[in-house]
């Protein structure tokens, strides 16, 4: 990799021998694996890590890393008609290529790219039917901003930035911003309207029709995480709870308490989708 000399940015051998880019700035510390273009750490100055990374995450070419921000692309789940695999597409296990980095003040911006050629030998590659390119830009600073661009826009693709947020106790957090929004409940197949804040009392797997900011209040960690977004008409809210967590080999049995996924998504047509995470202490 031809990494330019930028103070606060280095390339290192990460877990499983995979290459990671490490950002160490006065504003934050962060890590980005080329495998899956996966952000695995963002710790803004004065705060604890904002992202959850499973202690049992598998770092290997064939596996998606459990935690951080996996990219679901070019389809979400099993795709619009429910017949595609692997789950959540090919990008999260794809060999993304370094395409540039710059430093602006106390921010480092890194760009990675993935093309169909990069995943040609993967199971499911026959579903990546067009020669489009995905470009992913991650800006590490006092906020974390991730932008996925798809060129050209045809055929339609789906995407989600599957953000695992670390929480003190998922039973005590509250998500605001989804009041009065319709959601599709992936567990029951029903579409309903949500009223009030979202709290967690069991397995939760919902796709909200929602374009605005969501906020996660965490009284245990004493902070509020804000997720702003653009180009994203859907927000996915997921926590596996007890039984589903036990079925996930790369999630410790009691780790369902420690994270919630709030995913900016576009399940209709991705052109450019951006999500920006910031964190404030609760007074
Ligand atoms: C969420 C989906 O985005 O990802 C859930 O809504 C799914 O249905 C979850 O279980 C985790 O998926 P995976 O493939 O990473 O285990």
């Amino acid at each position: 990799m031809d990494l330019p000399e930028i103070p606060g940015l280095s390339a290192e051998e990460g877990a499983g021998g995979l290459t990671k880019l490490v950002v160490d700035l006065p504003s934050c510390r962060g890590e980005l694996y080329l495998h899956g273009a996966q952000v695995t750490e963002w710790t803004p100055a004065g705060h604890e890590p904002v992202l959850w990374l499973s202690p049992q995450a598998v770092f290997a070419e064939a596996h998606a890393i459990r935690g951080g921000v996996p990219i679901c692309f070019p389809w979400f789940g099993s795709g619009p008609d429910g017949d595609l695999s692997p789950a959540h597409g090919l990008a999260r296990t794809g060999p993304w290529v370094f395409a540039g980095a710059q430093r602006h003040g106390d921010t480092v911006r890194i760009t990675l790219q993935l093309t169909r050629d990069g995943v040609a030998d993967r199971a499911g590659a026959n579903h990546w039917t067009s020669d489009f390119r995905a470009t992913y830009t991650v800006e590490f600073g006092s906020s974390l901003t991730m932008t996925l661009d798809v060129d050209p826009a045809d055929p339609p693709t789906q995407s989600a930035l599957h953000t695992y947020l670390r929480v003190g106790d998922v039973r005590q957090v509250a998500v605001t911003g989804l009041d009065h929004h319709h959601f599709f409940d992936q567990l029951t197949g029903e579409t309903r309207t949500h009223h009030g804040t979202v709290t967690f009392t069991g397995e939760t797997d919902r796709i909200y029709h929602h374009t605005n900011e969501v906020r996660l209040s965490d009284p245990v960690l004493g902070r509020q995480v804000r997720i702003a977004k653009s180009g994203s008409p859907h927000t996915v809210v997921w926590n596996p709870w007890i039984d589903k967590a036990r079925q996930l080999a790369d999630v410790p049995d009691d780790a369902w308490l420690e994270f919630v996924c709030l995913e900016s998504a576009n399940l209709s047509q991705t052109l450019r989708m951006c999500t920006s995470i910031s964190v404030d202490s609760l007074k």
Side-chain angles (χ1 to χ4, degrees), residues 23-47:
V23 172
D24 201 349
L25 299 169
S27 62
C28 76
R29 195 192 130 76
E31 290 189 356
L32 172 64
Y33 275 78
L34 295 186
H35 174 68
Q38 194 145 333
V39 176
T40 52
E41 183 189 344
W42 174 59
T43 308
H47 295 279

Side-chain angles (χ1 to χ4, degrees), residues 47-67:
H47 295 279
E48 293 185 44
V50 173
L51 303 175
W52 181 80
L53 178 64
S54 174
Q56 292 177 197
V58 179
F59 290 82
E61 274 183 16
H63 284 261
I65 301 167
R66 179 72 66 186

Side-chain angles (χ1 to χ4, degrees), residues 1 3 10-11 21 35 42 57 68-69 78 128 137 150 159 170 182 186 194 200 210 216 221 234-236 239 268:
M1 185 191 346
L3 192 69
S10 58
L21 298 173
H35 174 68
W42 174 59
V69 189
S78 52
W128 184 310
T137 305
V150 182
S159 61
V170 73
H182 299 298
Q186 301 231 75
H194 188 82
F200 297 87
H210 169 261
L216 174 77
L221 294 185
H234 305 102
T235 297
V236 180
N239 178 278
S268 350

Side-chain angles (χ1 to χ4, degrees), residues 64-66 70 72 76-77 87-88 92 160 162 164 186-187 203-207 236-238 240 244 248 250 261 263:
I65 301 167
R66 179 72 66 186
C72 306
F76 176 82
H88 288 331
R92 63 178 178 166
H162 195 307
Y164 286 78
Q186 301 231 75
L187 302 175
E203 184 181 356
T204 304
D205 192 351
R206 300 176 181 174
I207 300 170
V236 180
V237 180
W238 181 63
K244 179 65 80 56
L248 299 171
D250 52 1
C261 291
E263 311 166 29

